[in-house]
Amino acid sequence: MTDDALAKGSVGYLLEMGTLKRARRTGWWIVGVKDPETVAEHSFRTAVIGAVLAMLEGADPAKVALLCTFHDTQETRVGDIPWVGRRYLSAAKNEDVTADQLADAHPAVAAGIQAVVDEYENGDSVEVIVAHDADRLECMLQGMEYLEQGYGNAQEWVDSTRARLKTASAIALADAAQGMSSADWQRTYLR
């Protein structure tokens, strides 16, 4: 493949990732949220939470943020399949979807992203554990925000995601969050 073709293949991947800014997190429809967050919005906050958790857990914040950034990129191809839907579907493995997404990308790009996705899906390092907790904690926080907006059915989602947290730092942040409103952060500049 020519350098131009590899560059276009890499840009094609980047353009595909842009669709995540429009792809809704469909699991929230089950609890009645009419206009749920996008996959990109979820992934951004997951990456920030991951970096924070990594700092608290003594893990590599950059690596955790990278794992979190790519954790749902396959949803450009298979959509956001909520847990209830997974009972009825056999979706391709995220590693396989990623390989297809990167088929025309520069080999360095393809290998780098594939390694990140493979590690997130199959690894057991502290960074992977923290990244998974970041995903769960983000879902819990989002559920709490939906509760504040009047979506009472989100409580079960909040409780079930909180129960799956593994690291002490994620559990401590979840405990702290449950005593706060989504607007409490404003107090830092209102003092």
Side-chain angles (χ1 to χ4, degrees):
M1 228 185 250
T2 67
D3 287 346
D4 185 51
L6 293 173
K8 285 182 178 181
S10 298
V11 170
Y13 177 79
L14 298 176
L15 292 170
E16 182 175 340
M17 292 304 103
T19 66
L20 294 174
K21 295 192 295 183
R22 297 182 297 279
R24 297 288 167 192
R25 304 245 310 148
T26 59
W28 293 114
W29 289 333
I30 294 167
V31 299
V33 177
K34 292 180 185 355
D35 187 27
E37 66 177 333
T38 68
V39 175
E41 290 166 333
H42 162 71
S43 294
F44 169 76
R45 185 159 66 172
T46 299
V48 172
I49 291 169
V52 168
L53 286 176
M55 292 170 196
L56 295 170
E57 289 291 319
D60 180 346
K63 184 172 186 176
V64 173
L66 185 65
L67 291 165
C68 293
T69 299
F70 287 93
H71 87 283
D72 279 341
T73 54
Q74 306 77 20
E75 292 179 11
T76 63
R77 302 275 174 108
V78 298
D80 176 36
I81 304 168
W83 286 105
V84 68
R86 292 173 195 231
R87 179 178 178 178
Y88 305 99
L89 301 173
S90 296
K93 291 175 33 178
N94 283 341
E95 304 92 301
D96 296 338
V97 176
T98 299
D100 285 346
Q101 289 173 316
L102 295 163
D104 294 332
H106 188 284
V109 172
I113 294 172
Q114 192 72 54
V116 170
V117 171
D118 288 347
E119 183 172 1
Y120 182 83
E121 295 297 333
N122 304 301
D124 61 358
S125 67
V126 66
E127 284 79 14
V128 171
I129 293 166
V130 169
H132 284 274
D133 262 6
D135 184 29
R136 294 178 189 116
L137 186 57
E138 198 290 323
C139 287
M140 184 195 140
L141 294 175
Q142 186 63 61
M144 290 173 58
E145 290 169 352
Y146 288 144
L147 282 169
E148 286 181 355
Q149 295 170 25
Y151 297 104
N153 290 333
Q155 185 64 57
E156 188 173 335
W157 192 302
V158 169
D159 296 341
S160 65
T161 16
R162 190 201 180 290
R164 294 173 54 219
L165 295 173
K166 297 192 179 346
T167 63
S169 297
I171 293 166
L173 293 182
D175 288 345
Q178 290 189 297
M180 298 175 68
S181 79
S182 64
D184 278 351
W185 64 270
Q186 296 178 55
R187 290 192 177 97
T188 60
Y189 70 83
L190 294 175
R191 293 181 216 177

